[in-house]
Amino acid sequence: MASHRRPKQPSRTRINVLTATAAAAVAVTSQTAQAAPSKPSLDEVKSKVDKLYEEAEKATEKYNGAKEKQEKLQKEISDLQDTVARGQGELNGMRDHLGSMATAQYRTGGVDPSIQLFLSSDPDDYLDKAATLDQLSSKQSDALEKIQDKQRSLEQRRTEARTKLEDLAETRKELGKKKDRIQGKLSDARDLLNTLTAEQREAMQRAEAAATADVDLGSALPASQRAGAALSAAQGKIGSPYVWGATGPSSFDCSGLTSWAYAQAGVSLPRTSQSQASAGARVSADNLEPGDLVLYYSDLHHIGLYAGNGQVLHAPKPGSSVQYTSLNSMPFMYGVRVG
């Protein structure tokens, strides 16, 4: 007969091990799901992008300063090279003149003066010539001294030009590094923006447009006629794109807009926001008038034009355009009334 044995039941120990293993597997799966990176929200992306744009703008103002230095050095070098070229021409002429005098002296001074006087058939004529010869020697001495002075002056100019050329080479290297830094920040910002959906990007654009719509500038008068002309020129550029390093007339960065606007009013401002901060008298927020410059952040890396009624006209950041914003939308430092 066949044996009908009951199947062996698993021991309590085995059941406990299996249960613990299953529980551990469930826990690991749960932790893995929780560890999966979640997609950043619109606000998180916007905050990170704004930070990158701010860092890019800091680098842009430093780039602008280095570029301004480069242009100044190039002009100084060109002027020095022109001065050296003219000076060398003058030096060559002085040497030729000295050579002519030396030739004339040689022709008349080849014999001892006392013998020439003794042999001369006309002693009075010889004495006249001797006086002329003395004058010629004196002129030679003066000419030699002038030549030596000119040589020293030219060598100083050449040394100055060489120093400036070395400085220019370093400035160009510095420009390249700053440009790479700016482009790196902008590239990171673009990568972040590309993580947004089309709907999220549209929401950002609508929010920016709403912030600049229906701006009430009040009825305050400009600080001066020139300030009014500068503000009016900038208002004519509302909607022009922000481009780092641009000074108009079709695109601008922040200090590019303010310097261009005041140039239309006949006022020359320095290139960078930090330099423009010294272009006039400081003004507190309570005393701002339309056309005053408005400086932001502790390092003064952003600047705009006060437009009135708590509004500022500025070129804000890449991907945006010249527009109005609230005076308090950024860390305000002080205003500047251009003299």
Side-chain angles (χ1 to χ4, degrees), residues 229-307:
L231 177 58
S232 178
Q235 287 170 327
K237 294 300 176 178
I238 291 174
S240 297
Y242 177 103
V243 175
W244 68 269
T247 57
S250 57
S251 58
F252 306 87
D253 61 19
C254 69
S255 57
L257 175 66
T258 50
S259 61
W260 178 86
Y262 264 95
Q264 309 317 299
V267 179
S268 177
L269 291 183
R271 175 63 182 91
T272 66
S273 57
Q274 291 90 345
S275 297
Q276 290 177 21
S278 301
R282 290 194 183 188
V283 181
S284 66
D286 293 338
N287 294 313
L288 286 170
E289 296 176 1
D292 287 340
L293 299 174
V294 179
L295 279 300
Y296 288 102
Y297 300 98
S298 59
D299 63 353
L300 309 178
H301 71 259
H302 190 72
I303 193 168
L305 289 163
Y306 186 67

Coordinates of all heavy atoms in Angstrom, one line a residue, residues 229-307:
A229 N 15.7 114.0 -20.0 CA 16.0 113.5 -21.3 C 16.5 112.1 -21.3 O 16.2 111.3 -22.2 CB 17.0 114.5 -21.9
A230 N 17.3 111.8 -20.3 CA 17.9 110.4 -20.2 C 16.8 109.4 -20.0 O 16.7 108.3 -20.6 CB 18.9 110.3 -19.1
L231 N 15.8 109.7 -19.0 CA 14.7 108.8 -18.8 C 13.9 108.6 -20.0 O 13.4 107.5 -20.3 CB 13.9 109.3 -17.6 CG 12.7 108.5 -17.2 CD1 13.0 107.1 -16.9 CD2 11.9 109.2 -16.1
S232 N 13.6 109.7 -20.7 CA 12.8 109.6 -21.9 C 13.4 108.7 -23.0 O 12.7 107.9 -23.6 CB 12.5 111.0 -22.5 OG 11.8 111.0 -23.6
A233 N 14.7 108.9 -23.1 CA 15.5 108.0 -24.1 C 15.4 106.5 -23.7 O 15.1 105.7 -24.5 CB 16.9 108.4 -24.1
A234 N 15.5 106.2 -22.4 CA 15.4 104.9 -21.9 C 14.0 104.3 -22.1 O 13.8 103.1 -22.5 CB 15.8 104.8 -20.5
Q235 N 13.0 105.1 -21.9 CA 11.6 104.7 -22.1 C 11.3 104.3 -23.5 O 10.5 103.5 -23.8 CB 10.7 105.8 -21.6 CG 10.6 105.9 -20.1 CD 9.9 107.2 -19.6 OE1 9.9 108.2 -20.3 NE2 9.2 107.1 -18.5
G236 N 12.0 105.0 -24.4 CA 11.9 104.6 -25.8 C 12.5 103.3 -26.2 O 12.3 102.8 -27.3
K237 N 13.2 102.7 -25.2 CA 13.8 101.4 -25.5 C 13.1 100.2 -24.7 O 13.7 99.1 -24.6 CB 15.3 101.4 -25.1 CG 16.1 102.3 -26.0 CD 16.1 101.9 -27.4 CE 16.8 102.8 -28.4 NZ 16.8 102.3 -29.8
I238 N 12.0 100.5 -24.1 CA 11.2 99.5 -23.4 C 10.9 98.3 -24.4 O 10.5 98.5 -25.5 CB 9.9 100.0 -22.8 CG1 10.2 101.0 -21.7 CG2 9.0 98.9 -22.4 CD1 9.0 101.7 -21.1
G239 N 11.2 97.1 -24.0 CA 11.0 95.9 -24.9 C 12.3 95.5 -25.6 O 12.3 94.4 -26.1
S240 N 13.4 96.3 -25.5 CA 14.6 95.9 -26.2 C 15.3 94.8 -25.3 O 15.2 94.9 -24.1 CB 15.6 97.1 -26.2 OG 15.1 98.1 -27.1
P241 N 15.9 93.9 -25.9 CA 16.4 92.7 -25.2 C 17.6 93.0 -24.3 O 18.4 93.9 -24.7 CB 16.7 91.7 -26.3 CG 17.0 92.5 -27.5 CD 16.1 93.7 -27.4
Y242 N 17.7 92.3 -23.2 CA 18.9 92.3 -22.4 C 20.0 91.4 -23.1 O 19.7 90.2 -23.4 CB 18.7 91.8 -21.0 CG 19.9 91.7 -20.1 CD1 20.1 92.7 -19.2 CD2 20.9 90.7 -20.3 CE1 21.3 92.6 -18.4 CE2 22.0 90.6 -19.5 CZ 22.2 91.6 -18.5 OH 23.3 91.5 -17.8
V243 N 21.1 92.0 -23.3 CA 22.3 91.2 -23.8 C 23.5 91.6 -23.0 O 23.8 92.8 -23.0 CB 22.5 91.5 -25.3 CG1 23.8 90.7 -25.8 CG2 21.3 91.0 -26.2
W244 N 24.2 90.6 -22.4 CA 25.3 91.0 -21.6 C 26.4 91.7 -22.4 O 26.7 91.3 -23.5 CB 25.9 89.8 -20.8 CG 26.5 88.8 -21.6 CD1 26.0 87.7 -22.2 CD2 27.9 88.7 -22.0 NE1 26.9 86.9 -22.8 CE2 28.1 87.5 -22.7 CE3 29.0 89.5 -21.7 CZ2 29.4 87.1 -23.2 CZ3 30.3 89.1 -22.2 CH2 30.4 88.0 -22.9
G245 N 26.9 92.8 -21.9 CA 28.0 93.6 -22.5 C 27.5 94.5 -23.6 O 28.3 95.3 -24.2
A246 N 26.2 94.6 -23.8 CA 25.6 95.5 -24.8 C 25.3 96.9 -24.3 O 24.9 97.1 -23.2 CB 24.3 94.9 -25.4
T247 N 25.6 97.9 -25.2 CA 25.4 99.3 -24.8 C 24.5 100.0 -25.8 O 24.5 101.2 -25.9 CB 26.8 100.0 -24.8 OG1 27.4 99.9 -26.1 CG2 27.7 99.5 -23.8
G248 N 23.6 99.2 -26.5 CA 22.7 99.9 -27.4 C 23.2 100.0 -28.8 O 24.3 99.6 -29.1
P249 N 22.4 100.5 -29.7 CA 21.0 101.1 -29.4 C 19.9 100.1 -29.4 O 18.8 100.4 -29.1 CB 20.9 102.1 -30.5 CG 21.6 101.5 -31.6 CD 22.8 100.8 -31.1
S250 N 20.2 98.8 -29.8 CA 19.1 97.8 -30.0 C 19.0 96.8 -28.8 O 18.0 96.1 -28.6 CB 19.2 97.1 -31.3 OG 20.5 96.5 -31.4
S251 N 20.1 96.7 -28.0 CA 20.1 95.8 -26.9 C 21.0 96.3 -25.8 O 21.9 97.2 -26.1 CB 20.6 94.4 -27.3 OG 21.9 94.4 -27.9
F252 N 20.8 95.9 -24.6 CA 21.5 96.5 -23.4 C 21.7 95.5 -22.3 O 21.0 94.6 -22.2 CB 20.7 97.7 -22.9 CG 20.2 98.7 -23.8 CD1 19.1 98.6 -24.6 CD2 21.0 99.9 -24.0 CE1 18.7 99.5 -25.5 CE2 20.6 100.8 -25.0 CZ 19.4 100.7 -25.7
D253 N 22.8 95.8 -21.5 CA 22.8 95.2 -20.2 C 22.5 96.4 -19.2 O 22.2 97.5 -19.7 CB 24.2 94.5 -19.8 CG 25.3 95.5 -19.9 OD1 25.1 96.7 -19.8 OD2 26.5 95.0 -20.0
C254 N 22.5 96.2 -17.9 CA 22.0 97.2 -17.0 C 22.7 98.5 -17.1 O 22.1 99.6 -17.3 CB 21.9 96.7 -15.6 SG 23.5 96.4 -14.8
S255 N 24.0 98.5 -17.0 CA 24.8 99.7 -17.1 C 24.9 100.2 -18.5 O 25.1 101.4 -18.7 CB 26.2 99.5 -16.5 OG 26.9 98.5 -17.1
G256 N 24.7 99.3 -19.5 CA 24.7 99.8 -20.9 C 23.5 100.6 -21.1 O 23.6 101.6 -21.9
L257 N 22.4 100.3 -20.5 CA 21.2 101.1 -20.7 C 21.3 102.5 -20.1 O 21.0 103.5 -20.8 CB 20.0 100.4 -20.1 CG 18.7 101.2 -20.1 CD1 18.2 101.4 -21.6 CD2 17.6 100.5 -19.3
T258 N 21.8 102.6 -18.9 CA 21.9 103.9 -18.2 C 23.0 104.8 -18.9 O 22.8 106.0 -19.0 CB 22.3 103.7 -16.7 OG1 23.4 102.8 -16.6 CG2 21.1 103.1 -15.9
S259 N 24.1 104.2 -19.3 CA 25.1 105.0 -19.9 C 24.6 105.5 -21.3 O 24.9 106.6 -21.7 CB 26.4 104.2 -20.1 OG 26.3 103.1 -20.9
W260 N 23.9 104.6 -22.0 CA 23.4 105.0 -23.3 C 22.3 106.1 -23.2 O 22.3 107.1 -23.9 CB 22.8 103.8 -24.0 CG 22.2 104.2 -25.4 CD1 22.8 104.2 -26.6 CD2 20.8 104.6 -25.6 NE1 21.9 104.6 -27.6 CE2 20.7 104.8 -27.0 CE3 19.7 104.7 -24.8 CZ2 19.5 105.2 -27.6 CZ3 18.5 105.1 -25.4 CH2 18.4 105.4 -26.8
A261 N 21.5 106.0 -22.2 CA 20.4 106.9 -22.0 C 20.9 108.3 -21.7 O 20.5 109.3 -22.2 CB 19.5 106.5 -20.9
Y262 N 21.9 108.4 -20.8 CA 22.5 109.7 -20.4 C 23.3 110.2 -21.6 O 23.4 111.5 -21.7 CB 23.3 109.6 -19.1 CG 22.5 110.0 -17.9 CD1 21.8 109.1 -17.2 CD2 22.3 111.4 -17.6 CE1 21.0 109.5 -16.1 CE2 21.5 111.8 -16.6 CZ 20.9 110.8 -15.8 OH 20.1 111.3 -14.8
A263 N 23.9 109.4 -22.4 CA 24.6 109.9 -23.6 C 23.7 110.6 -24.5 O 24.1 111.6 -25.1 CB 25.3 108.7 -24.3
Q264 N 22.4 110.1 -24.6 CA 21.4 110.8 -25.5 C 21.1 112.2 -24.9 O 20.6 113.1 -25.6 CB 20.2 110.0 -25.6 CG 20.4 108.5 -26.0 CD 21.4 108.4 -27.1 OE1 21.2 108.9 -28.2 NE2 22.5 107.6 -26.8
A265 N 21.4 112.4 -23.6 CA 21.1 113.7 -23.0 C 22.4 114.5 -22.9 O 22.4 115.6 -22.3 CB 20.6 113.5 -21.5
G266 N 23.4 114.1 -23.6 CA 24.7 114.8 -23.6 C 25.6 114.7 -22.4 O 26.5 115.4 -22.2
V267 N 25.4 113.6 -21.6 CA 26.2 113.3 -20.4 C 26.9 112.0 -20.6 O 26.3 111.0 -20.9 CB 25.3 113.3 -19.2 CG1 26.2 113.0 -18.0 CG2 24.5 114.6 -19.0
S268 N 28.2 112.1 -20.4 CA 29.0 110.9 -20.6 C 29.2 110.2 -19.2 O 29.7 110.8 -18.3 CB 30.4 111.2 -21.1 OG 31.2 110.1 -21.2
L269 N 28.7 109.0 -19.1 CA 28.8 108.2 -17.8 C 29.9 107.1 -18.0 O 30.1 106.6 -19.1 CB 27.5 107.6 -17.4 CG 26.4 108.5 -17.0 CD1 25.2 107.6 -16.6 CD2 26.8 109.4 -15.8
P270 N 30.6 106.7 -16.9 CA 31.5 105.5 -17.0 C 30.7 104.3 -17.5 O 29.5 104.3 -17.4 CB 32.0 105.4 -15.6 CG 31.8 106.7 -15.0 CD 30.5 107.3 -15.6
R271 N 31.4 103.2 -17.8 CA 30.8 102.1 -18.4 C 30.1 101.2 -17.3 O 29.0 100.6 -17.6 CB 31.8 101.2 -19.1 CG 31.3 99.9 -19.7 CD 30.2 100.2 -20.7 NE 29.6 98.9 -21.2 CZ 28.6 98.3 -20.7 NH1 28.0 98.7 -19.6 NH2 28.2 97.1 -21.2
T272 N 30.7 101.0 -16.2 CA 30.1 100.0 -15.2 C 29.2 100.6 -14.2 O 29.3 101.8 -13.9 CB 31.3 99.3 -14.5 OG1 32.0 100.2 -13.7 CG2 32.2 98.7 -15.5
S273 N 28.4 99.8 -13.6 CA 27.5 100.3 -12.5 C 28.3 100.8 -11.3 O 27.9 101.9 -10.7 CB 26.5 99.2 -12.1 OG 27.2 98.1 -11.6
Q274 N 29.3 100.1 -11.0 CA 30.1 100.6 -9.8 C 30.8 102.0 -10.1 O 30.8 102.8 -9.2 CB 31.3 99.6 -9.5 CG 30.8 98.3 -9.0 CD 30.5 97.2 -10.0 OE1 30.4 97.6 -11.2 NE2 30.3 96.0 -9.7
S275 N 31.2 102.2 -11.3 CA 31.8 103.5 -11.7 C 30.7 104.6 -11.8 O 30.9 105.7 -11.3 CB 32.5 103.4 -13.0 OG 33.6 102.5 -12.9
Q276 N 29.5 104.2 -12.3 CA 28.4 105.2 -12.4 C 27.9 105.6 -11.0 O 27.3 106.7 -10.9 CB 27.3 104.6 -13.2 CG 27.6 104.4 -14.7 CD 26.5 103.7 -15.5 OE1 25.4 103.7 -15.1 NE2 26.9 103.2 -16.6
A277 N 28.2 104.8 -10.0 CA 27.7 105.1 -8.7 C 28.4 106.4 -8.1 O 28.0 107.0 -7.2 CB 28.0 103.9 -7.7
S278 N 29.5 106.8 -8.8 CA 30.3 108.0 -8.4 C 30.0 109.1 -9.3 O 30.8 110.1 -9.3 CB 31.8 107.7 -8.3 OG 32.0 106.6 -7.4
A279 N 29.0 109.0 -10.1 CA 28.8 110.1 -11.2 C 28.0 111.3 -10.7 O 27.7 112.2 -11.4 CB 28.1 109.4 -12.4
G280 N 27.6 111.3 -9.4 CA 26.9 112.4 -8.9 C 26.7 112.3 -7.4 O 27.4 111.5 -6.7
A281 N 25.7 113.0 -6.8 CA 25.5 113.0 -5.4 C 24.6 111.9 -5.0 O 23.6 111.6 -5.7 CB 24.9 114.4 -5.0
R282 N 24.8 111.3 -3.9 CA 24.0 110.2 -3.4 C 22.6 110.7 -3.0 O 22.5 111.8 -2.4 CB 24.6 109.5 -2.2 CG 25.8 108.7 -2.6 CD 26.2 107.7 -1.5 NE 27.4 107.0 -1.9 CZ 27.9 106.0 -1.2 NH1 27.3 105.6 0.0 NH2 29.0 105.3 -1.5
V283 N 21.6 109.9 -3.2 CA 20.2 110.2 -2.9 C 19.6 109.0 -2.2 O 19.7 107.9 -2.6 CB 19.4 110.6 -4.1 CG1 18.0 111.0 -3.8 CG2 20.1 111.7 -4.9
S284 N 18.8 109.3 -1.1 CA 18.1 108.2 -0.4 C 16.8 107.9 -1.2 O 16.4 108.6 -2.1 CB 17.7 108.7 1.0 OG 16.8 109.7 1.0
A285 N 16.3 106.7 -0.8 CA 15.0 106.3 -1.4 C 13.9 107.3 -1.3 O 13.1 107.5 -2.3 CB 14.6 104.9 -0.8
D286 N 13.8 108.0 -0.2 CA 12.7 109.0 0.0 C 12.9 110.2 -0.9 O 11.9 110.9 -1.1 CB 12.6 109.4 1.5 CG 12.2 108.2 2.4 OD1 11.6 107.3 1.8 OD2 12.5 108.3 3.6
N287 N 14.1 110.5 -1.3 CA 14.3 111.7 -2.1 C 14.6 111.5 -3.6 O 15.1 112.4 -4.3 CB 15.5 112.4 -1.5 CG 15.2 113.0 -0.1 OD1 14.2 113.6 0.1 ND2 16.1 112.7 0.8
L288 N 14.3 110.3 -4.1 CA 14.5 110.0 -5.5 C 13.6 110.8 -6.4 O 12.4 111.0 -6.0 CB 14.3 108.5 -5.8 CG 15.4 107.5 -5.3 CD1 14.9 106.1 -5.4 CD2 16.7 107.7 -6.1
E289 N 14.1 111.2 -7.5 CA 13.4 111.9 -8.5 C 13.6 111.2 -9.9 O 14.6 110.6 -10.1 CB 13.7 113.4 -8.6 CG 13.4 114.2 -7.3 CD 13.9 115.6 -7.3 OE1 14.5 116.0 -8.4 OE2 13.7 116.3 -6.3
P290 N 12.6 111.3 -10.8 CA 12.7 110.7 -12.1 C 14.0 111.0 -12.8 O 14.4 112.2 -12.8 CB 11.5 111.2 -12.9 CG 10.5 111.4 -11.8 CD 11.3 112.0 -10.6
G291 N 14.7 110.0 -13.3 CA 16.0 110.2 -14.0 C 17.2 109.9 -13.1 O 18.3 109.8 -13.6
D292 N 17.0 109.8 -11.8 CA 18.1 109.5 -10.9 C 18.5 108.0 -11.2 O 17.7 107.2 -11.5 CB 17.7 109.6 -9.4 CG 17.6 111.0 -8.9 OD1 18.1 111.9 -9.6 OD2 16.9 111.2 -7.9
L293 N 19.8 107.8 -11.0 CA 20.3 106.4 -11.1 C 20.0 105.7 -9.8 O 20.0 106.3 -8.7 CB 21.9 106.4 -11.3 CG 22.4 107.1 -12.5 CD1 23.9 107.1 -12.5 CD2 21.9 106.4 -13.8
V294 N 19.7 104.4 -9.9 CA 19.3 103.6 -8.7 C 20.3 102.4 -8.7 O 20.4 101.6 -9.6 CB 17.9 103.1 -8.8 CG1 17.5 102.3 -7.6 CG2 16.9 104.3 -8.9
L295 N 21.0 102.2 -7.6 CA 22.0 101.2 -7.4 C 21.5 100.1 -6.5 O 20.8 100.3 -5.5 CB 23.3 101.7 -6.8 CG 24.3 102.4 -7.7 CD1 24.8 101.5 -8.8 CD2 23.7 103.7 -8.3
Y296 N 21.8 98.8 -6.9 CA 21.3 97.6 -6.1 C 22.5 96.7 -5.7 O 23.5 96.7 -6.4 CB 20.3 96.8 -6.9 CG 19.0 97.5 -7.1 CD1 18.6 98.2 -8.3 CD2 18.0 97.5 -6.1 CE1 17.4 98.8 -8.5 CE2 16.8 98.1 -6.3 CZ 16.5 98.8 -7.5 OH 15.3 99.4 -7.6
Y297 N 22.2 96.0 -4.6 CA 23.1 95.0 -4.1 C 24.4 95.6 -3.5 O 24.8 96.7 -3.9 CB 23.6 93.9 -5.1 CG 22.4 93.2 -5.7 CD1 21.8 93.5 -6.9 CD2 21.9 92.1 -5.0 CE1 20.8 92.8 -7.4 CE2 20.8 91.4 -5.5 CZ 20.2 91.8 -6.7 OH 19.2 91.1 -7.2
S298 N 25.0 95.0 -2.5 CA 26.1 95.6 -1.7 C 27.3 95.8 -2.6 O 28.1 96.8 -2.3 CB 26.5 94.6 -0.6 OG 26.9 93.4 -1.1
D299 N 27.5 95.1 -3.7 CA 28.6 95.3 -4.6 C 28.2 96.2 -5.8 O 29.0 96.4 -6.7 CB 29.2 94.0 -5.1 CG 28.2 93.2 -5.9 OD1 27.1 93.6 -6.0 OD2 28.7 92.2 -6.5
L300 N 27.0 96.7 -5.7 CA 26.5 97.7 -6.8 C 26.6 97.1 -8.2 O 26.9 97.8 -9.1 CB 27.3 99.0 -6.7 CG 27.4 99.7 -5.3 CD1 28.3 100.9 -5.4 CD2 26.0 100.0 -4.7
H301 N 26.3 95.8 -8.3 CA 26.4 95.2 -9.7 C 25.2 95.4 -10.5 O 25.2 94.9 -11.7 CB 26.8 93.7 -9.5 CG 25.7 92.9 -9.1 ND1 25.6 92.4 -7.8 CD2 24.6 92.3 -9.7 CE1 24.5 91.6 -7.6 NE2 23.9 91.5 -8.8
H302 N 24.1 96.1 -10.0 CA 22.9 96.3 -10.9 C 22.5 97.8 -10.7 O 22.6 98.4 -9.7 CB 21.8 95.4 -10.5 CG 20.6 95.5 -11.5 ND1 20.7 94.9 -12.7 CD2 19.4 96.0 -11.4 CE1 19.6 95.1 -13.4 NE2 18.8 95.8 -12.6
I303 N 22.0 98.3 -11.8 CA 21.7 99.7 -11.9 C 20.5 100.0 -12.8 O 20.3 99.2 -13.8 CB 22.9 100.6 -12.3 CG1 22.7 102.1 -12.1 CG2 23.2 100.3 -13.8 CD1 23.9 102.9 -12.2
G304 N 19.7 101.0 -12.5 CA 18.6 101.3 -13.3 C 18.3 102.8 -13.2 O 19.1 103.6 -12.6
L305 N 17.2 103.3 -13.8 CA 16.8 104.7 -13.7 C 15.5 104.8 -13.0 O 14.5 104.1 -13.3 CB 16.6 105.2 -15.2 CG 17.8 105.5 -16.0 CD1 17.5 105.6 -17.5 CD2 18.6 106.7 -15.5
Y306 N 15.4 105.7 -12.0 CA 14.2 105.9 -11.3 C 13.2 106.5 -12.2 O 13.5 107.5 -12.9 CB 14.4 106.7 -10.0 CG 13.2 106.8 -9.2 CD1 12.7 105.7 -8.5 CD2 12.5 108.0 -9.1 CE1 11.5 105.8 -7.7 CE2 11.3 108.1 -8.3 CZ 10.8 107.0 -7.6 OH 9.7 107.1 -6.9
A307 N 12.0 105.9 -12.3 CA 11.0 106.4 -13.2 C 9.8 107.2 -12.6 O 9.1 107.9 -13.2 CB 10.4 105.3 -14.0

